[in-house]
Amino acid sequence: MAYFDFIFSSSSESIKPAQVFQRFFIGLFLSLPFYPFPSRAEVPLQCSGLELVSLNRISPRPLFEIRYASSNNFLGRTLYSKVDPQLRCPVALALQKVQQDLSKEGLGLKVWDAHRPLAVQQLMWDEIQDPRYVSDPSVNAGRHTRGASVDVTLVNQQGKPLRMPTDYDDFSKSAHVNADGVLADRAANAQRLLKAMERRGFRSFATEWWHFDWHHWKSMPVIPPS
């Protein structure tokens, strides 16, 4: 129904002038096209310097399953108070390029972890004390603690994770990059992730297929506690 019909159609009762104006403005509003404001994730991230930026600002926005913001992790307890993964600006921009590349293939990233406070890194080291899986803060202060490393996997357009060699934080040889005995489809998916990340300046971590370091991670200082 055109909005003018809406204004002037009436029942057997007469319409007061105030009602005519009210119907006019309601009809005019309903006839206007609706353009929703883009969410932050629909506007590509722009930043400079080395500040931490939220991955919520990346476009297309990745999925988040921040394991350490829940008890679903190898320590069995919540280590982060909120779900807001962050990386240094140049690292976040590189991850955005990975997302843009993958979106052309009908894929995307799911983020498990990004910047990690030094205190959390110490808790993890105290529990594992195996440098193959957790960096010793007393040696190099960690990698995630610099805001230069990220833990990710691949998802399809529906957000369903692709099959990978292992689950996240699996401390077995099956989680190693190019591990033997991994099913062919899982190995292929891990390689696809590896190539997508390396194309944009990330480097893999030999014992964790999901872990990637920005190629200049050593030049970035540890982020002090806020």
Side-chain angles (χ1 to χ4, degrees), residues 25-45:
F25 286 112
I26 292 174
L28 181 62
F29 174 79
L30 292 175
S31 70
L32 295 174
F34 176 65
Y35 298 104
F37 290 104
S39 67
R40 288 190 304 169
E42 292 174 348
V43 179
L45 169 67

Side-chain angles (χ1 to χ4, degrees), residues 12-30:
S12 58
E13 297 180 0
S14 61
I15 302 175
K16 297 178 181 179
Q19 291 176 310
V20 173
F21 283 106
Q22 182 182 45
R23 288 192 176 194
F24 173 80
F25 286 112
I26 292 174
L28 181 62
F29 174 79
L30 292 175

Side-chain angles (χ1 to χ4, degrees), residues 141-154:
R143 298 166 184 251
H144 283 280
T145 54
R146 303 169 190 265
S149 301
V150 64
D151 297 340
V152 292
T153 191
L154 290 176

Side-chain angles (χ1 to χ4, degrees), residues 18-195:
Q19 291 176 310
V20 173
F21 283 106
Q22 182 182 45
R23 288 192 176 194
F24 173 80
F25 286 112
I26 292 174
L28 181 62
F29 174 79
L30 292 175
S31 70
L32 295 174
F34 176 65
Y35 298 104
F37 290 104
S39 67
R40 288 190 304 169
E42 292 174 348
V43 179
L45 169 67
Q46 296 182 17
C47 61
S48 60
L50 294 178
E51 73 273 17
L52 280 174
V53 297
S54 173
L55 300 188
N56 278 291
R57 296 170 59 190
I58 284 180
S59 177
R61 181 184 292 140
L63 292 184
F64 301 135
E65 186 188 345
I66 309 304
R67 293 283 183 94
Y68 304 126
S70 73
S71 60
N72 183 24
N73 56 67
F74 73 93
L75 289 174
R77 61 182 186 271
T78 301
L79 303 173
Y80 298 163
S81 60
K82 59 182 178 179
V83 177
D84 184 24
Q86 300 178 341
L87 290 172
R88 298 269 193 180
C89 171
V91 188
L93 289 173
L95 197 70
Q96 178 171 250
K97 291 179 180 178
V98 175
Q99 271 288 87
Q100 292 169 346
D101 293 343
L102 290 171
S103 68
K104 299 173 184 177
E105 305 174 31
L107 299 172
L109 294 171
K110 178 162 74 170
V111 177
W112 279 319
D113 197 21
H115 167 248
R116 181 183 301 161
L118 186 58
V120 173
Q121 185 71 29
Q122 186 65 55
L123 286 173
M124 293 181 177
W125 173 252
D126 292 343
E127 179 73 19
I128 299 298
Q129 296 193 15
D130 186 337
R132 294 178 301 169
Y133 303 109
V134 178
S135 297
D136 181 355
S138 68
V139 175
N140 63 14
R143 298 166 184 251
H144 283 280
T145 54
R146 303 169 190 265
S149 301
V150 64
D151 297 340
V152 292
T153 191
L154 290 176
V155 295
N156 62 19
Q157 286 182 319
Q158 291 72 44
K160 181 179 180 180
L162 273 60
R163 287 159 58 91
M164 290 293 180
T166 67
D167 192 10
Y168 180 53
D169 275 352
D170 182 300
F171 303 134
S172 71
K173 290 184 178 180
S174 295
H176 294 190
V177 175
N178 298 321
D180 295 328
V182 176
L183 294 176
D185 65 325
R186 299 185 182 203
N189 289 335
Q191 279 296 310
R192 195 171 189 176
L193 173 63
L194 175 64
K195 291 178 181 178

